[in-house]
Amino acid sequence: MNTTIMLFLLQDGITNGAIYALLGLALVLVFAVTRVILIPQGEFVTYGALSYAMLATGQVPGTARLAVAMGLVAFALDLFFARNALHVRLVIRSVALNIAFPVALLGLVYALVGPGTPIAVNIALALLIVAAIGLFLYRIAFQPIAHTSVLVLLIASVGCHLALQGLGLVFFGAEGLRAPALSNAAVTAGPLRFTGQSLAVYGLTIGFIVALWLFFGYTKTGKALRATAVNRLGARLVGIRTTLSGQIAFLLASVIGAISGILIVPITTLYYDTGFLIGLKGFIAAIIGGLVSYPLTAVAAIVVGIVEAFSSFYASNFKEVIVFTLILPVLVLRSLAAPEVEEEKD
């Protein structure tokens, strides 16, 4: 270990930590608004990255067809739950969101896909596909059970993770994929070399943190989400549509996950199940932040990335063990600080 190696490790750790920060922020956002521990966040990473990689090679990803299928299921659920109070406006809105939007998106993908399609277009298509999947996932799996306990929501989240991971194997196969970099530019600072991809990671992470701060602090929708996070029943009593809040939270989480995957896939080869491990590291940062604090989650994610980088240098075989061990002292301290609650007696 010398100064140069230490700087390289810090650079790698901060780059990885920036990705984990994005995922951690998405997890905190979803849990705060919906009480869902979003285990499928890793699948949003995988779907975004591999959809972009397939589009870059001129292929239509299976996720585009999945969005259409999920939209049809969501439309059927809308009709079923509103069967006693159906009206034309509700049906038209459901058709537009659940059928017209994903079908139009699939048609757009078929029309634009090709080896000469610009990178920006492929990124936009991948983001739209994953955003649609995230939106429909909430409608199908979580909206009908939104008022149940956190444990039931967690079980549903695990089921969604397993289903999406299996579908990922069907859509993308067992072979890994890589995608072209967003930029081939590079900046040298002493012994360090910052690629355009790593600069994009830093810039987008900072931009998302600032955007979320502005969104929650200065927009009506953001304040409605904060109110839903504080008291779901109280938010409903003052006229806030908690269902819409959940949809917006899942939409933001899916977009953040897809962007994280698109930032990673030019750097390293991703497989259909890689996103789960990446999402778990974001989950560690979210737990350290108490699933409520965005700044603490971002700082914790940087720490997780740096610990991972140094662990890979000193003890690469135990890298994952060391990273996941970070959660243990946090859980112990939080359990000691939590007030004692007596169990109910029969």
Side-chain angles (χ1 to χ4, degrees):
M1 172 67 71
N2 54 40
T3 304
T4 302
I5 294 176
M6 184 181 70
L7 289 175
F8 278 124
L9 293 175
L10 282 173
Q11 181 187 13
D12 289 341
I14 293 173
T15 303
N16 293 335
I19 298 294
Y20 302 153
L22 287 176
L23 299 177
L25 293 174
L27 289 167
V28 171
L29 169 64
V30 171
F31 182 79
V33 176
T34 66
R35 301 177 299 123
V36 174
I37 299 175
L38 190 59
I39 296 177
Q41 182 67 42
E43 275 59 57
F44 293 150
V45 175
T46 303
Y47 279 21
L50 299 184
S51 295
Y52 167 58
M54 289 190 69
L55 288 168
T57 60
Q59 303 177 63
V60 176
T63 47
R65 292 183 284 272
L66 175 64
V68 174
M70 294 180 71
L72 292 174
V73 175
F75 175 70
L77 286 176
D78 281 348
L79 294 184
F80 176 77
F81 286 110
R83 60 189 183 278
N84 296 324
L86 276 179
H87 50 83
V88 176
R89 183 179 177 184
L90 173 64
V91 174
I92 293 175
R93 184 175 61 188
S94 183
V95 169
L97 177 62
N98 299 321
I99 297 180
F101 168 58
V103 169
L105 178 58
L106 180 61
L108 192 63
V109 171
Y110 273 105
L112 297 178
V113 70
T117 305
I119 290 177
V121 174
N122 289 332
I123 292 175
L125 291 175
L127 290 178
L128 285 172
I129 290 170
V130 178
I133 291 174
L135 189 64
F136 296 143
L137 181 68
Y138 177 76
R139 178 64 188 92
I140 295 170
F142 296 102
Q143 184 176 320
I145 58 173
H147 301 290
T148 57
S149 66
V150 175
L151 178 59
V152 173
L153 294 172
L154 176 61
I155 294 171
S157 186
V158 172
C160 291
H161 155 67
L162 295 174
L164 291 176
Q165 191 176 78
L167 290 171
L169 177 60
V170 174
F171 297 147
F172 307 114
E175 299 296 325
L177 296 174
R178 294 189 73 163
L182 304 183
S183 172
N184 295 321
V187 177
T188 302
L192 301 179
R193 184 174 183 271
F194 297 93
T195 64
Q197 193 70 27
S198 61
L199 292 175
V201 171
Y202 305 146
L204 284 174
T205 301
I206 295 172
F208 258 103
I209 292 174
V210 173
L212 286 175
W213 174 68
L214 293 174
F215 175 71
F216 285 108
Y218 296 96
T219 67
K220 185 179 294 185
T221 304
K223 292 177 180 178
L225 288 178
R226 288 173 57 193
T228 305
V230 173
N231 189 320
R232 189 178 184 88
L233 178 59
R236 291 183 62 189
L237 292 176
V238 297
I240 295 174
R241 295 173 57 191
T242 54
T243 297
L244 181 60
S245 298
Q247 291 174 345
I248 293 173
F250 266 72
L251 181 64
L252 290 174
S254 60
V255 170
I256 291 173
I259 288 176
S260 301
I262 291 170
L263 291 174
I264 297 170
V265 73
I267 300 173
T268 183
T269 302
L270 291 186
Y271 299 84
Y272 75 96
D273 59 349
T274 306
F276 178 63
L277 192 60
I278 299 172
L280 277 180
K281 293 170 184 175
F283 178 71
I284 292 173
I287 289 294
I288 294 175
L291 288 172
V292 291
S293 174
Y294 295 101
L296 186 55
T297 298
V299 173
I302 301 297
V303 173
V304 169
I306 293 174
V307 170
E308 181 185 27
F310 279 87
S311 300
S312 64
F313 179 80
Y314 283 109
S316 58
N317 291 336
F318 301 98
K319 177 183 67 173
E320 308 297 347
V321 176
I322 294 171
V323 170
F324 291 125
T325 303
L326 291 174
I327 202 173
L328 296 180
V330 176
L331 293 177
V332 171
L333 290 174
R334 290 192 179 279
S335 65
L336 293 175
E340 181 180 355
V341 179
E342 294 185 2
E343 295 183 0
E344 294 182 1
K345 296 181 180 180
D346 295 334

PDB file of all heavy atoms in Angstrom, residues 270-289:
ATOM      1  N   LEU A 270     -22.551  -7.143 -16.634  1.00  0.00           N
ATOM      2  CA  LEU A 270     -23.673  -7.421 -15.742  1.00  0.00           C
ATOM      3  C   LEU A 270     -24.433  -8.656 -16.224  1.00  0.00           C
ATOM      4  O   LEU A 270     -24.567  -8.880 -17.429  1.00  0.00           O
ATOM      5  CB  LEU A 270     -24.631  -6.230 -15.673  1.00  0.00           C
ATOM      6  CG  LEU A 270     -24.133  -4.966 -14.974  1.00  0.00           C
ATOM      7  CD1 LEU A 270     -25.267  -3.954 -14.862  1.00  0.00           C
ATOM      8  CD2 LEU A 270     -23.569  -5.260 -13.611  1.00  0.00           C
ATOM      9  N   TYR A 271     -24.933  -9.434 -15.266  1.00  0.00           N
ATOM     10  CA  TYR A 271     -25.727 -10.617 -15.545  1.00  0.00           C
ATOM     11  C   TYR A 271     -27.153 -10.373 -15.033  1.00  0.00           C
ATOM     12  O   TYR A 271     -27.425  -9.390 -14.348  1.00  0.00           O
ATOM     13  CB  TYR A 271     -25.114 -11.845 -14.879  1.00  0.00           C
ATOM     14  CG  TYR A 271     -23.714 -12.153 -15.367  1.00  0.00           C
ATOM     15  CD1 TYR A 271     -22.607 -11.505 -14.814  1.00  0.00           C
ATOM     16  CD2 TYR A 271     -23.498 -13.076 -16.385  1.00  0.00           C
ATOM     17  CE1 TYR A 271     -21.328 -11.777 -15.270  1.00  0.00           C
ATOM     18  CE2 TYR A 271     -22.220 -13.350 -16.837  1.00  0.00           C
ATOM     19  CZ  TYR A 271     -21.133 -12.700 -16.274  1.00  0.00           C
ATOM     20  OH  TYR A 271     -19.877 -12.972 -16.722  1.00  0.00           O
ATOM     21  N   TYR A 272     -28.030 -11.309 -15.347  1.00  0.00           N
ATOM     22  CA  TYR A 272     -29.437 -11.133 -14.991  1.00  0.00           C
ATOM     23  C   TYR A 272     -29.659 -11.031 -13.488  1.00  0.00           C
ATOM     24  O   TYR A 272     -30.650 -10.457 -13.025  1.00  0.00           O
ATOM     25  CB  TYR A 272     -30.279 -12.270 -15.569  1.00  0.00           C
ATOM     26  CG  TYR A 272     -30.130 -13.584 -14.837  1.00  0.00           C
ATOM     27  CD1 TYR A 272     -31.035 -13.962 -13.858  1.00  0.00           C
ATOM     28  CD2 TYR A 272     -29.071 -14.440 -15.107  1.00  0.00           C
ATOM     29  CE1 TYR A 272     -30.902 -15.160 -13.171  1.00  0.00           C
ATOM     30  CE2 TYR A 272     -28.924 -15.629 -14.438  1.00  0.00           C
ATOM     31  CZ  TYR A 272     -29.842 -15.989 -13.474  1.00  0.00           C
ATOM     32  OH  TYR A 272     -29.691 -17.175 -12.788  1.00  0.00           O
ATOM     33  N   ASP A 273     -28.737 -11.598 -12.674  1.00  0.00           N
ATOM     34  CA  ASP A 273     -28.904 -11.588 -11.221  1.00  0.00           C
ATOM     35  C   ASP A 273     -27.907 -10.691 -10.506  1.00  0.00           C
ATOM     36  O   ASP A 273     -27.848 -10.689  -9.278  1.00  0.00           O
ATOM     37  CB  ASP A 273     -28.798 -13.012 -10.669  1.00  0.00           C
ATOM     38  CG  ASP A 273     -27.453 -13.661 -11.014  1.00  0.00           C
ATOM     39  OD1 ASP A 273     -26.708 -13.094 -11.844  1.00  0.00           O
ATOM     40  OD2 ASP A 273     -27.152 -14.728 -10.457  1.00  0.00           O
ATOM     41  N   THR A 274     -27.123  -9.919 -11.249  1.00  0.00           N
ATOM     42  CA  THR A 274     -26.105  -9.067 -10.625  1.00  0.00           C
ATOM     43  C   THR A 274     -26.729  -7.947  -9.805  1.00  0.00           C
ATOM     44  O   THR A 274     -26.189  -7.531  -8.783  1.00  0.00           O
ATOM     45  CB  THR A 274     -25.182  -8.476 -11.699  1.00  0.00           C
ATOM     46  OG1 THR A 274     -24.649  -9.524 -12.499  1.00  0.00           O
ATOM     47  CG2 THR A 274     -24.029  -7.700 -11.060  1.00  0.00           C
ATOM     48  N   GLY A 275     -27.863  -7.445 -10.251  1.00  0.00           N
ATOM     49  CA  GLY A 275     -28.470  -6.299  -9.593  1.00  0.00           C
ATOM     50  C   GLY A 275     -28.840  -6.547  -8.150  1.00  0.00           C
ATOM     51  O   GLY A 275     -28.850  -5.613  -7.343  1.00  0.00           O
ATOM     52  N   PHE A 276     -29.129  -7.807  -7.793  1.00  0.00           N
ATOM     53  CA  PHE A 276     -29.537  -8.095  -6.415  1.00  0.00           C
ATOM     54  C   PHE A 276     -28.419  -7.762  -5.440  1.00  0.00           C
ATOM     55  O   PHE A 276     -28.653  -7.135  -4.405  1.00  0.00           O
ATOM     56  CB  PHE A 276     -29.934  -9.563  -6.296  1.00  0.00           C
ATOM     57  CG  PHE A 276     -30.320  -9.980  -4.901  1.00  0.00           C
ATOM     58  CD1 PHE A 276     -31.412  -9.412  -4.271  1.00  0.00           C
ATOM     59  CD2 PHE A 276     -29.578 -10.925  -4.210  1.00  0.00           C
ATOM     60  CE1 PHE A 276     -31.767  -9.783  -2.985  1.00  0.00           C
ATOM     61  CE2 PHE A 276     -29.924 -11.305  -2.930  1.00  0.00           C
ATOM     62  CZ  PHE A 276     -31.020 -10.729  -2.319  1.00  0.00           C
ATOM     63  N   LEU A 277     -27.200  -8.160  -5.773  1.00  0.00           N
ATOM     64  CA  LEU A 277     -26.070  -7.889  -4.885  1.00  0.00           C
ATOM     65  C   LEU A 277     -25.781  -6.393  -4.808  1.00  0.00           C
ATOM     66  O   LEU A 277     -25.480  -5.857  -3.737  1.00  0.00           O
ATOM     67  CB  LEU A 277     -24.836  -8.645  -5.378  1.00  0.00           C
ATOM     68  CG  LEU A 277     -23.640  -8.704  -4.420  1.00  0.00           C
ATOM     69  CD1 LEU A 277     -24.031  -9.390  -3.121  1.00  0.00           C
ATOM     70  CD2 LEU A 277     -22.474  -9.426  -5.073  1.00  0.00           C
ATOM     71  N   ILE A 278     -25.894  -5.705  -5.936  1.00  0.00           N
ATOM     72  CA  ILE A 278     -25.692  -4.260  -5.933  1.00  0.00           C
ATOM     73  C   ILE A 278     -26.768  -3.569  -5.109  1.00  0.00           C
ATOM     74  O   ILE A 278     -26.488  -2.647  -4.332  1.00  0.00           O
ATOM     75  CB  ILE A 278     -25.681  -3.729  -7.379  1.00  0.00           C
ATOM     76  CG1 ILE A 278     -24.541  -4.359  -8.174  1.00  0.00           C
ATOM     77  CG2 ILE A 278     -25.558  -2.210  -7.405  1.00  0.00           C
ATOM     78  CD1 ILE A 278     -24.571  -4.044  -9.652  1.00  0.00           C
ATOM     79  N   GLY A 279     -28.011  -4.026  -5.272  1.00  0.00           N
ATOM     80  CA  GLY A 279     -29.103  -3.442  -4.494  1.00  0.00           C
ATOM     81  C   GLY A 279     -28.947  -3.669  -3.003  1.00  0.00           C
ATOM     82  O   GLY A 279     -29.320  -2.809  -2.192  1.00  0.00           O
ATOM     83  N   LEU A 280     -28.373  -4.826  -2.616  1.00  0.00           N
ATOM     84  CA  LEU A 280     -28.162  -5.096  -1.197  1.00  0.00           C
ATOM     85  C   LEU A 280     -27.199  -4.087  -0.580  1.00  0.00           C
ATOM     86  O   LEU A 280     -27.363  -3.686   0.582  1.00  0.00           O
ATOM     87  CB  LEU A 280     -27.626  -6.510  -1.005  1.00  0.00           C
ATOM     88  CG  LEU A 280     -28.646  -7.649  -0.978  1.00  0.00           C
ATOM     89  CD1 LEU A 280     -27.938  -8.979  -0.776  1.00  0.00           C
ATOM     90  CD2 LEU A 280     -29.687  -7.434   0.108  1.00  0.00           C
ATOM     91  N   LYS A 281     -26.207  -3.671  -1.330  1.00  0.00           N
ATOM     92  CA  LYS A 281     -25.257  -2.688  -0.793  1.00  0.00           C
ATOM     93  C   LYS A 281     -25.918  -1.319  -0.648  1.00  0.00           C
ATOM     94  O   LYS A 281     -25.616  -0.569   0.290  1.00  0.00           O
ATOM     95  CB  LYS A 281     -24.020  -2.638  -1.686  1.00  0.00           C
ATOM     96  CG  LYS A 281     -23.229  -3.943  -1.617  1.00  0.00           C
ATOM     97  CD  LYS A 281     -22.141  -4.029  -2.646  1.00  0.00           C
ATOM     98  CE  LYS A 281     -21.465  -5.407  -2.571  1.00  0.00           C
ATOM     99  NZ  LYS A 281     -20.469  -5.609  -3.633  1.00  0.00           N
ATOM    100  N   GLY A 282     -26.811  -1.000  -1.565  1.00  0.00           N
ATOM    101  CA  GLY A 282     -27.620   0.203  -1.367  1.00  0.00           C
ATOM    102  C   GLY A 282     -28.524   0.074  -0.166  1.00  0.00           C
ATOM    103  O   GLY A 282     -28.770   1.048   0.556  1.00  0.00           O
ATOM    104  N   PHE A 283     -29.008  -1.144   0.076  1.00  0.00           N
ATOM    105  CA  PHE A 283     -29.869  -1.398   1.235  1.00  0.00           C
ATOM    106  C   PHE A 283     -29.095  -1.198   2.538  1.00  0.00           C
ATOM    107  O   PHE A 283     -29.644  -0.683   3.520  1.00  0.00           O
ATOM    108  CB  PHE A 283     -30.419  -2.816   1.150  1.00  0.00           C
ATOM    109  CG  PHE A 283     -31.279  -3.216   2.320  1.00  0.00           C
ATOM    110  CD1 PHE A 283     -32.533  -2.665   2.496  1.00  0.00           C
ATOM    111  CD2 PHE A 283     -30.827  -4.139   3.247  1.00  0.00           C
ATOM    112  CE1 PHE A 283     -33.328  -3.032   3.567  1.00  0.00           C
ATOM    113  CE2 PHE A 283     -31.608  -4.514   4.319  1.00  0.00           C
ATOM    114  CZ  PHE A 283     -32.862  -3.958   4.483  1.00  0.00           C
ATOM    115  N   ILE A 284     -27.824  -1.594   2.575  1.00  0.00           N
ATOM    116  CA  ILE A 284     -26.996  -1.373   3.762  1.00  0.00           C
ATOM    117  C   ILE A 284     -26.903   0.124   4.056  1.00  0.00           C
ATOM    118  O   ILE A 284     -27.057   0.556   5.197  1.00  0.00           O
ATOM    119  CB  ILE A 284     -25.595  -1.973   3.560  1.00  0.00           C
ATOM    120  CG1 ILE A 284     -25.670  -3.492   3.499  1.00  0.00           C
ATOM    121  CG2 ILE A 284     -24.652  -1.553   4.683  1.00  0.00           C
ATOM    122  CD1 ILE A 284     -24.365  -4.153   3.145  1.00  0.00           C
ATOM    123  N   ALA A 285     -26.661   0.915   3.003  1.00  0.00           N
ATOM    124  CA  ALA A 285     -26.601   2.367   3.197  1.00  0.00           C
ATOM    125  C   ALA A 285     -27.934   2.910   3.703  1.00  0.00           C
ATOM    126  O   ALA A 285     -27.973   3.781   4.586  1.00  0.00           O
ATOM    127  CB  ALA A 285     -26.220   3.045   1.887  1.00  0.00           C
ATOM    128  N   ALA A 286     -29.038   2.388   3.170  1.00  0.00           N
ATOM    129  CA  ALA A 286     -30.362   2.847   3.608  1.00  0.00           C
ATOM    130  C   ALA A 286     -30.615   2.474   5.066  1.00  0.00           C
ATOM    131  O   ALA A 286     -31.198   3.263   5.827  1.00  0.00           O
ATOM    132  CB  ALA A 286     -31.443   2.255   2.712  1.00  0.00           C
ATOM    133  N   ILE A 287     -30.181   1.285   5.490  1.00  0.00           N
ATOM    134  CA  ILE A 287     -30.353   0.867   6.884  1.00  0.00           C
ATOM    135  C   ILE A 287     -29.534   1.749   7.807  1.00  0.00           C
ATOM    136  O   ILE A 287     -30.000   2.166   8.878  1.00  0.00           O
ATOM    137  CB  ILE A 287     -29.952  -0.604   7.050  1.00  0.00           C
ATOM    138  CG1 ILE A 287     -30.979  -1.520   6.395  1.00  0.00           C
ATOM    139  CG2 ILE A 287     -29.821  -0.967   8.526  1.00  0.00           C
ATOM    140  CD1 ILE A 287     -32.338  -1.502   7.032  1.00  0.00           C
ATOM    141  N   ILE A 288     -28.297   2.059   7.413  1.00  0.00           N
ATOM    142  CA  ILE A 288     -27.467   2.946   8.237  1.00  0.00           C
ATOM    143  C   ILE A 288     -28.137   4.311   8.365  1.00  0.00           C
ATOM    144  O   ILE A 288     -28.066   4.968   9.406  1.00  0.00           O
ATOM    145  CB  ILE A 288     -26.055   3.069   7.630  1.00  0.00           C
ATOM    146  CG1 ILE A 288     -25.341   1.720   7.693  1.00  0.00           C
ATOM    147  CG2 ILE A 288     -25.236   4.134   8.379  1.00  0.00           C
ATOM    148  CD1 ILE A 288     -23.990   1.695   7.009  1.00  0.00           C
ATOM    149  N   GLY A 289     -28.828   4.734   7.302  1.00  0.00           N
ATOM    150  CA  GLY A 289     -29.569   5.989   7.356  1.00  0.00           C
ATOM    151  C   GLY A 289     -30.904   5.872   8.043  1.00  0.00           C
ATOM    152  O   GLY A 289     -31.663   6.844   8.088  1.00  0.00           O
TER     153      GLY A 289
END
